[in-house]
């Protein structure tokens, strides 16, 4: 709990410093402080976390599959997790579209739309066939080097199955996977000692770069995104955890709050994954076999926060350009955003690139993305916190539904108080 308080203090002090730096008339002070102190500290911290992501995903998923024991159990757990993720993503974007259409953020100000530049980045092919084919790596080492999470997950599943079926013949490998997972857990604890300083530097850099005028001009758009994120977290996740997971939602959010703060500071589901898994297993008492499979999967395909941003941004840009979206176009936005969430990298800024694809699906000018770039970094932090919370909620729900099937379940009455 002391570490959580230190992270929160780091965030608050960082926000205060960022606001001071943003208000300074002389930007050279911010630029020098950011270049020589804030960015290096933040980057080192993120790099240390990212350094552990690929090995911990490999070890944890392999270990999780070994714990599940057979393909039938894996298919059942995986089916429940994917069903939950896709369903909540659809609910998230429907909430976002509804609030944006009701409040009309694009009609609450005058915006300059001439000379806007397009967002840069390669738009991935998210068709169902290509997504499925792309899940299977030709070279697992390349997949790990490139951080292709879906391919790493598939390879880890095969490794876990192989070790399970070989039994005593693979006893040494089983021990290696278990010890590797223990090593990663220790390294996470070690790196997290730097979390308060890293959170301070990342927040101060982000808030200082935005500027107050940029925040004020986009207040209506930001408010709806934030409102949608809060509604989705409290009602969608809270209801699911309570009704399906049979866990007190207040207990859930209280225990997981430090991870949400950490996700807010990093803006990366992948970077937050080691901490999120550790908290789910230790604080929420989710069995390791479930957490080790569901949460890495969620970091790859569960992008509820990003879907909310895409829904609000699409309506906002349509209103700025005086375009009335038809019911059919709104349905297309929902479908496209849900499909785009599968295989989207859990790294900062990827939502803007995916938004390009959503806008193109309903024939809106992609140049409109330039209107929201100024405040997207801050919103990216908030939606990442929602994404990782959804992963944990899914792990709790799957764990509850699998209580009678899991060999290594560790359920305590406290979490259902």
């Amino acid at each position: 709990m002391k570490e959580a308080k230190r992270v929160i203090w780091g965030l608050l002090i960082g926000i205060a410093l960022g606001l001071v730096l943003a208000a300074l008339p002389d930007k050279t002070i911010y630029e020098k402080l950011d270049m020589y102190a804030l960015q290096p500290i933040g980057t080192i911290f993120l790099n240390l976390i990212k350094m552990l992501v690929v090995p911990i995903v490999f070890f944890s998923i392999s270990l999780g599959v070994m714990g599940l024991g057979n393909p039938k159990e894996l298919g059942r757990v995986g089916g429940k997790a994917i069903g939950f993720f896709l369903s909540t993503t659809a609910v998230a974007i429907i909430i976002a579209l509804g609030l944006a259409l009701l409040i009309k953020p694009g009609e609450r100000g005058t915006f300059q739309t001439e000379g806007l530049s397009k967002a840069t980045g390669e738009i991935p092919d998210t068709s169902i066939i290509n997504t499925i084919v792309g899940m299977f790596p030709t070279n697992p080492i390349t997949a790990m080097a490139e951080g292709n999470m879906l391919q790493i997950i598939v390879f880890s599943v095969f490794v876990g199955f192989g070790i399970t079926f070989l039994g005593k013949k693979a006893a040494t490998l089983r021990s290696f996977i278990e010890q590797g997972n223990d090593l990663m857990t220790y390294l996470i604890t070690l790196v997290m000692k730097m979390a308060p300083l890293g959170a301070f530097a990342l927040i101060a850099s982000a808030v200082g770069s935005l500027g107050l005028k940029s925040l004020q001009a986009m207040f209506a758009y930001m408010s709806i995104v934030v409102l949608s994120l809060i509604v989705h977290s409290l009602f969608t996740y809270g209801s699911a955890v309570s009704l399906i997971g049979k866990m007190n939602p207040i207990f859930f959010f209280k225990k997981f709050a430090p991870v949400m703060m950490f996700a807010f500071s990093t803006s990366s589901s992948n970077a937050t994954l080691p901490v999120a898994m550790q908290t789910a297993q230790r604080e929420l008492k989710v069995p390791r076999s479930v957490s080790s499979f569901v949460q890495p999967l969620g970091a790859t395909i569960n992008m509820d926060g990003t879907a909310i941003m895409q829904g609000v941004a699409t309506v906002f840009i349509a209103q700025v350009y005086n375009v009335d979206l038809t019911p059919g176009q709104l349905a297309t936005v929902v479908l496209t955003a849900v499909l785009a969430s599968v295989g989207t990298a859990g790294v900062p800024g990827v939502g803007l690139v995916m938004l390009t694809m959503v806008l193109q699906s309903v024939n809106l000018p992609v140049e409109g993305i330039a209107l929201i770039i100024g405040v997207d970094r801050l919103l990216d932090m908030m939606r990442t916190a929602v994404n990782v919370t959804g992963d944990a909620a899914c792990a709790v729900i799957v764990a509850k539904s699998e209580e009678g099937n899991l060999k290594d379940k560790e359920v305590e009455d406290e979490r259902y108080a």
Side-chain angles (χ1 to χ4, degrees), residues 93-105 223-229 231-232 312 315 319:
I93 195 169
I94 290 171
I95 290 172
L97 290 173
L99 290 174
L101 290 170
L102 179 65
I103 301 175
K104 302 183 184 340
S223 297
I224 297 176
V225 174
V226 173
L227 178 61
S228 300
L229 292 171
V231 169
H232 186 62
V312 176
V315 174
Q319 290 170 351

Side-chain angles (χ1 to χ4, degrees), residues 118 123 354-366:
K118 298 181 181 180
I123 303 174
M354 301 308 297
L355 176 58
T356 301
M357 184 183 68
V358 175
L359 292 176
Q360 288 179 336
S361 71
V362 290
N363 299 316
L364 286 175
V366 296

Side-chain angles (χ1 to χ4, degrees), residues 209-252:
S209 67
L210 291 174
L212 293 178
K213 290 184 179 179
S214 175
L215 291 175
Q216 291 169 356
M218 298 299 297
F219 182 74
Y221 164 74
M222 291 177 63
S223 297
I224 297 176
V225 174
V226 173
L227 178 61
S228 300
L229 292 171
I230 293 173
V231 169
H232 186 62
S233 297
L234 294 181
F235 290 94
T236 306
Y237 294 152
S239 298
V241 166
S242 177
L243 299 176
I244 307 175
K246 305 301 181 183
M247 179 184 289
N248 187 331
I250 297 176
F251 174 85
F252 171 80

Side-chain angles (χ1 to χ4, degrees), residues 324-335:
D324 293 325
L325 296 173
T326 66
Q329 287 177 313
L330 293 174
T332 299
V333 171
V334 174
L335 181 61

Side-chain angles (χ1 to χ4, degrees), residues 360-378:
Q360 288 179 336
S361 71
V362 290
N363 299 316
L364 286 175
V366 296
E367 291 84 358
I369 292 178
L371 294 170
I372 65 173
I373 285 179
V375 295
D376 189 69
R377 184 69 174 87
L378 182 58

Side-chain angles (χ1 to χ4, degrees), residues 49 51-62 180-181 184-185 188 270 273-275 277-278 292 296:
I49 292 291
M51 173 183 72
L52 303 177
V53 171
V54 169
I56 199 170
V57 168
F58 170 72
F59 286 124
S60 63
I61 288 189
S62 298
N181 191 70
M184 291 302 109
T185 301
I188 293 165
N270 287 344
L273 180 59
V275 184
M277 289 173 57
Q278 189 178 65
S292 297

